Every structure is written in structure tokens, then in C-alpha cells.
Short mmCIF file of all heavy atoms in Angstrom, two decimals:
data_model
loop_
_atom_site.label_atom_id
_atom_site.label_comp_id
_atom_site.label_asym_id
_atom_site.label_seq_id
_atom_site.Cartn_x
_atom_site.Cartn_y
_atom_site.Cartn_z
N VAL A 10 19.33 15.30 5.15
CA VAL A 10 17.99 14.88 4.67
C VAL A 10 17.42 13.80 5.60
O VAL A 10 16.24 13.84 5.97
CB VAL A 10 18.08 14.37 3.23
CG1 VAL A 10 16.77 13.69 2.82
CG2 VAL A 10 18.41 15.49 2.26
N ARG A 11 18.27 12.82 5.95
CA ARG A 11 17.78 11.72 6.83
C ARG A 11 17.36 12.24 8.21
O ARG A 11 16.34 11.83 8.75
CB ARG A 11 18.87 10.68 6.96
CG ARG A 11 19.18 9.88 5.68
CD ARG A 11 20.09 8.74 5.98
NE ARG A 11 20.58 8.06 4.78
CZ ARG A 11 21.25 6.92 4.78
NH1 ARG A 11 21.57 6.34 5.93
NH2 ARG A 11 21.65 6.38 3.65
N LEU A 12 18.18 13.12 8.76
CA LEU A 12 17.87 13.67 10.09
C LEU A 12 16.54 14.42 10.07
O LEU A 12 15.72 14.30 10.96
CB LEU A 12 18.99 14.58 10.56
CG LEU A 12 20.28 13.90 11.06
CD1 LEU A 12 21.38 14.94 11.27
CD2 LEU A 12 20.04 13.14 12.37
N GLN A 13 16.33 15.23 9.02
CA GLN A 13 15.10 15.99 8.92
C GLN A 13 13.90 15.07 8.76
O GLN A 13 12.82 15.32 9.33
CB GLN A 13 15.16 16.97 7.73
CG GLN A 13 14.05 17.98 7.75
CD GLN A 13 14.06 18.85 9.00
OE1 GLN A 13 15.06 19.52 9.29
NE2 GLN A 13 12.98 18.84 9.75
N TYR A 14 14.08 13.97 8.05
CA TYR A 14 12.98 12.99 7.88
C TYR A 14 12.62 12.39 9.24
O TYR A 14 11.43 12.23 9.57
CB TYR A 14 13.40 11.89 6.91
CG TYR A 14 12.35 10.82 6.74
CD1 TYR A 14 11.29 10.99 5.85
CD2 TYR A 14 12.41 9.66 7.49
CE1 TYR A 14 10.31 10.00 5.70
CE2 TYR A 14 11.44 8.65 7.35
CZ TYR A 14 10.38 8.85 6.45
OH TYR A 14 9.43 7.89 6.31
N VAL A 15 13.60 12.03 10.03
CA VAL A 15 13.36 11.46 11.35
C VAL A 15 12.62 12.48 12.23
O VAL A 15 11.63 12.14 12.89
CB VAL A 15 14.68 11.03 12.02
CG1 VAL A 15 14.40 10.56 13.45
CG2 VAL A 15 15.35 9.92 11.22
N LEU A 16 13.06 13.71 12.23
CA LEU A 16 12.42 14.75 13.04
C LEU A 16 10.96 14.96 12.64
O LEU A 16 10.10 15.16 13.50
CB LEU A 16 13.18 16.06 12.91
CG LEU A 16 14.54 16.12 13.60
CD1 LEU A 16 15.31 17.39 13.17
CD2 LEU A 16 14.40 16.10 15.11
N ASN A 17 10.70 14.85 11.36
CA ASN A 17 9.32 15.10 10.87
C ASN A 17 8.36 13.92 11.13
O ASN A 17 7.16 14.11 11.25
CB ASN A 17 9.34 15.36 9.35
CG ASN A 17 10.04 16.69 9.00
OD1 ASN A 17 10.19 17.55 9.87
ND2 ASN A 17 10.44 16.84 7.77
N ASN A 18 8.90 12.71 11.25
CA ASN A 18 8.03 11.52 11.28
C ASN A 18 8.17 10.65 12.52
O ASN A 18 7.42 9.70 12.67
CB ASN A 18 8.34 10.63 10.05
CG ASN A 18 8.04 11.37 8.74
OD1 ASN A 18 6.88 11.44 8.31
ND2 ASN A 18 9.06 11.88 8.09
N PHE A 19 9.11 10.97 13.37
CA PHE A 19 9.40 10.05 14.51
C PHE A 19 8.23 9.93 15.46
O PHE A 19 7.87 8.81 15.88
CB PHE A 19 10.62 10.60 15.30
CG PHE A 19 11.14 9.65 16.32
CD1 PHE A 19 11.97 8.62 15.98
CD2 PHE A 19 10.81 9.83 17.67
CE1 PHE A 19 12.48 7.74 16.93
CE2 PHE A 19 11.29 8.95 18.64
CZ PHE A 19 12.11 7.90 18.26
N GLU A 20 7.58 11.00 15.81
CA GLU A 20 6.55 10.98 16.86
C GLU A 20 5.37 10.06 16.51
O GLU A 20 4.85 9.34 17.38
CB GLU A 20 6.00 12.40 17.09
CG GLU A 20 5.06 12.50 18.26
CD GLU A 20 4.61 13.93 18.53
OE1 GLU A 20 5.17 14.87 17.91
OE2 GLU A 20 3.72 14.11 19.38
N LYS A 21 4.97 10.01 15.22
CA LYS A 21 3.79 9.23 14.84
C LYS A 21 4.15 7.82 14.34
O LYS A 21 3.25 7.04 14.01
CB LYS A 21 3.03 9.98 13.73
CG LYS A 21 2.45 11.31 14.22
CD LYS A 21 1.70 12.01 13.10
CE LYS A 21 1.12 13.36 13.57
NZ LYS A 21 0.36 14.06 12.50
N ALA A 22 5.40 7.48 14.30
CA ALA A 22 5.84 6.20 13.75
C ALA A 22 5.63 5.05 14.80
O ALA A 22 5.52 5.29 15.97
CB ALA A 22 7.31 6.25 13.38
N THR A 23 5.56 3.81 14.27
CA THR A 23 5.48 2.63 15.15
C THR A 23 6.86 2.38 15.76
O THR A 23 7.86 2.89 15.25
CB THR A 23 5.06 1.40 14.35
OG1 THR A 23 6.10 1.07 13.39
CG2 THR A 23 3.75 1.64 13.62
N PRO A 24 6.93 1.56 16.84
CA PRO A 24 8.22 1.25 17.43
C PRO A 24 9.22 0.68 16.39
O PRO A 24 10.40 1.05 16.40
CB PRO A 24 7.90 0.24 18.51
CG PRO A 24 6.52 0.58 18.92
CD PRO A 24 5.82 1.02 17.67
N GLU A 25 8.76 -0.21 15.53
CA GLU A 25 9.65 -0.78 14.51
C GLU A 25 10.12 0.27 13.55
O GLU A 25 11.31 0.31 13.17
CB GLU A 25 8.91 -1.89 13.75
CG GLU A 25 9.84 -2.64 12.78
CD GLU A 25 9.13 -3.80 12.12
OE1 GLU A 25 7.92 -4.03 12.40
OE2 GLU A 25 9.76 -4.48 11.31
N GLU A 26 9.23 1.17 13.13
CA GLU A 26 9.62 2.24 12.20
C GLU A 26 10.61 3.19 12.85
O GLU A 26 11.57 3.67 12.25
CB GLU A 26 8.39 3.01 11.73
CG GLU A 26 7.49 2.20 10.80
CD GLU A 26 6.15 2.88 10.55
OE1 GLU A 26 5.75 3.75 11.38
OE2 GLU A 26 5.48 2.53 9.56
N LYS A 27 10.39 3.49 14.17
CA LYS A 27 11.30 4.35 14.89
C LYS A 27 12.71 3.76 14.94
O LYS A 27 13.71 4.45 14.79
CB LYS A 27 10.78 4.61 16.31
CG LYS A 27 9.59 5.51 16.38
CD LYS A 27 9.12 5.72 17.84
CE LYS A 27 7.92 6.66 17.92
NZ LYS A 27 7.47 6.87 19.31
N ASN A 28 12.76 2.45 15.18
CA ASN A 28 14.04 1.76 15.25
C ASN A 28 14.78 1.86 13.91
O ASN A 28 16.01 2.10 13.88
CB ASN A 28 13.82 0.29 15.63
CG ASN A 28 15.11 -0.45 15.85
OD1 ASN A 28 15.49 -1.31 15.05
ND2 ASN A 28 15.80 -0.15 16.94
N ILE A 29 14.06 1.69 12.83
CA ILE A 29 14.66 1.78 11.49
C ILE A 29 15.16 3.22 11.22
O ILE A 29 16.25 3.44 10.71
CB ILE A 29 13.65 1.37 10.38
CG1 ILE A 29 13.33 -0.13 10.53
CG2 ILE A 29 14.19 1.67 9.01
CD1 ILE A 29 12.21 -0.60 9.63
N MET A 30 14.33 4.20 11.64
CA MET A 30 14.71 5.61 11.46
C MET A 30 16.01 5.94 12.21
O MET A 30 16.92 6.56 11.66
CB MET A 30 13.60 6.54 11.96
CG MET A 30 12.38 6.59 11.09
SD MET A 30 11.20 7.75 11.82
CE MET A 30 9.73 7.38 10.87
N LEU A 31 16.07 5.51 13.47
CA LEU A 31 17.25 5.81 14.29
C LEU A 31 18.51 5.17 13.67
O LEU A 31 19.56 5.81 13.61
CB LEU A 31 17.05 5.29 15.71
CG LEU A 31 16.03 6.02 16.55
CD1 LEU A 31 15.72 5.27 17.84
CD2 LEU A 31 16.53 7.42 16.90
N LYS A 32 18.38 3.94 13.21
CA LYS A 32 19.52 3.25 12.63
C LYS A 32 19.91 3.82 11.25
O LYS A 32 20.99 3.52 10.75
CB LYS A 32 19.23 1.75 12.51
CG LYS A 32 19.20 1.06 13.86
CD LYS A 32 18.90 -0.45 13.74
CE LYS A 32 18.96 -1.10 15.11
NZ LYS A 32 18.64 -2.53 15.06
N SER A 33 19.04 4.64 10.68
CA SER A 33 19.38 5.27 9.39
C SER A 33 20.27 6.50 9.56
O SER A 33 20.83 7.01 8.58
CB SER A 33 18.11 5.66 8.64
OG SER A 33 17.48 6.80 9.27
N VAL A 34 20.42 6.99 10.85
CA VAL A 34 21.21 8.20 11.04
C VAL A 34 22.31 8.05 12.09
O VAL A 34 23.21 8.86 12.17
CB VAL A 34 20.31 9.39 11.43
CG1 VAL A 34 19.44 9.82 10.27
CG2 VAL A 34 19.46 9.07 12.67
N VAL A 35 22.21 7.01 12.94
CA VAL A 35 23.23 6.85 13.98
C VAL A 35 23.75 5.41 14.02
O VAL A 35 23.05 4.48 13.61
CB VAL A 35 22.69 7.21 15.39
CG1 VAL A 35 22.15 8.62 15.43
CG2 VAL A 35 21.64 6.22 15.85
N ARG A 36 24.98 5.27 14.50
CA ARG A 36 25.50 3.93 14.77
C ARG A 36 25.11 3.50 16.18
O ARG A 36 24.59 2.42 16.41
CB ARG A 36 27.03 3.89 14.63
CG ARG A 36 27.50 3.98 13.20
CD ARG A 36 29.00 3.83 13.09
NE ARG A 36 29.40 3.88 11.69
CZ ARG A 36 29.59 4.99 11.00
NH1 ARG A 36 29.44 6.18 11.61
NH2 ARG A 36 29.90 4.96 9.73
N LYS A 37 25.41 4.38 17.13
CA LYS A 37 25.07 4.12 18.53
C LYS A 37 24.80 5.46 19.23
O LYS A 37 25.27 6.50 18.82
CB LYS A 37 26.22 3.43 19.26
CG LYS A 37 26.43 1.97 18.87
CD LYS A 37 27.55 1.36 19.74
CE LYS A 37 27.77 -0.11 19.41
NZ LYS A 37 28.81 -0.71 20.25
N ILE A 38 24.02 5.35 20.30
CA ILE A 38 23.81 6.49 21.18
C ILE A 38 24.21 5.99 22.59
O ILE A 38 23.73 4.94 23.05
CB ILE A 38 22.37 6.99 21.21
CG1 ILE A 38 21.96 7.44 19.80
CG2 ILE A 38 22.19 8.14 22.19
CD1 ILE A 38 20.51 7.90 19.71
N TYR A 39 25.10 6.72 23.26
CA TYR A 39 25.56 6.31 24.59
C TYR A 39 24.86 7.14 25.66
O TYR A 39 24.81 8.35 25.60
CB TYR A 39 27.07 6.49 24.69
CG TYR A 39 27.82 5.53 23.81
CD1 TYR A 39 28.27 5.94 22.56
CD2 TYR A 39 28.09 4.23 24.23
CE1 TYR A 39 28.95 5.06 21.74
CE2 TYR A 39 28.76 3.34 23.42
CZ TYR A 39 29.19 3.75 22.18
OH TYR A 39 29.85 2.87 21.35
N TYR A 40 24.33 6.40 26.65
CA TYR A 40 23.50 7.01 27.69
C TYR A 40 24.23 7.09 29.02
O TYR A 40 24.91 6.15 29.43
CB TYR A 40 22.26 6.12 27.87
CG TYR A 40 21.35 6.44 29.03
CD1 TYR A 40 20.20 7.19 28.84
CD2 TYR A 40 21.61 5.96 30.31
CE1 TYR A 40 19.33 7.48 29.89
CE2 TYR A 40 20.76 6.24 31.37
CZ TYR A 40 19.62 7.01 31.15
OH TYR A 40 18.78 7.26 32.21
N SER A 41 24.10 8.20 29.69
CA SER A 41 24.62 8.31 31.06
C SER A 41 23.73 9.25 31.88
O SER A 41 23.24 10.27 31.35
CB SER A 41 26.06 8.81 31.09
OG SER A 41 26.14 10.16 30.71
N LYS A 42 23.52 8.88 33.11
CA LYS A 42 22.71 9.69 34.03
C LYS A 42 23.01 9.21 35.43
O LYS A 42 22.91 8.02 35.72
CB LYS A 42 21.21 9.54 33.71
CG LYS A 42 20.31 10.44 34.57
CD LYS A 42 18.85 10.20 34.20
CE LYS A 42 17.94 11.03 35.09
NZ LYS A 42 16.52 10.78 34.81
N SER A 43 23.40 10.13 36.32
CA SER A 43 23.78 9.73 37.67
C SER A 43 22.86 10.30 38.74
O SER A 43 22.98 9.92 39.92
CB SER A 43 25.22 10.17 37.97
OG SER A 43 25.33 11.60 37.87
N GLN A 44 21.96 11.19 38.37
CA GLN A 44 21.09 11.81 39.36
C GLN A 44 19.64 11.70 38.95
O GLN A 44 19.29 12.00 37.81
CB GLN A 44 21.46 13.30 39.54
CG GLN A 44 22.86 13.54 40.05
CD GLN A 44 23.20 15.01 40.10
OE1 GLN A 44 22.34 15.85 39.88
NE2 GLN A 44 24.47 15.31 40.34
N GLY A 45 18.79 11.31 39.89
CA GLY A 45 17.35 11.28 39.64
C GLY A 45 16.70 12.53 40.21
O GLY A 45 17.31 13.28 40.97
#
């Protein structure tokens, strides 16, 4: 339910709301990228 809510509302949300949404479904996201 939480994931679907984020998918439905993320694009139009404010930065603060996006941050709250992300923290409602994940603990951390780990980033890696070695090629541009």
C-alpha cells in the first residue's frame, strides 16, 4: 500500500513530502555508478 502511494504521488509532491514518502518505505538506498 505504501509503495503504491509513493508511485501515485511522488512526481507532484514537494521535496519535503518526497523525503517523507521515501522514508515511509525504505531504510536506505545505496548508490553506485562508475561510468558516465
Side-chain angles (χ1 to χ4, degrees):
V10 170
R11 292 190 188 188
L12 285 170
Q13 192 60 57
Y14 178 83
V15 175
L16 288 170
N17 292 342
N18 298 280
F19 189 81
E20 186 176 353
K21 295 180 180 180
T23 65
E25 186 175 1
E26 290 170 341
K27 288 180 179 180
N28 186 251
I29 293 171
M30 287 181 193
L31 290 168
K32 289 180 177 178
S33 73
V34 292
V35 303
R36 287 185 179 83
K37 288 184 178 181
I38 300 177
Y39 292 96
Y40 172 98
S41 69
K42 183 180 178 183
S43 60
Q44 298 175 8

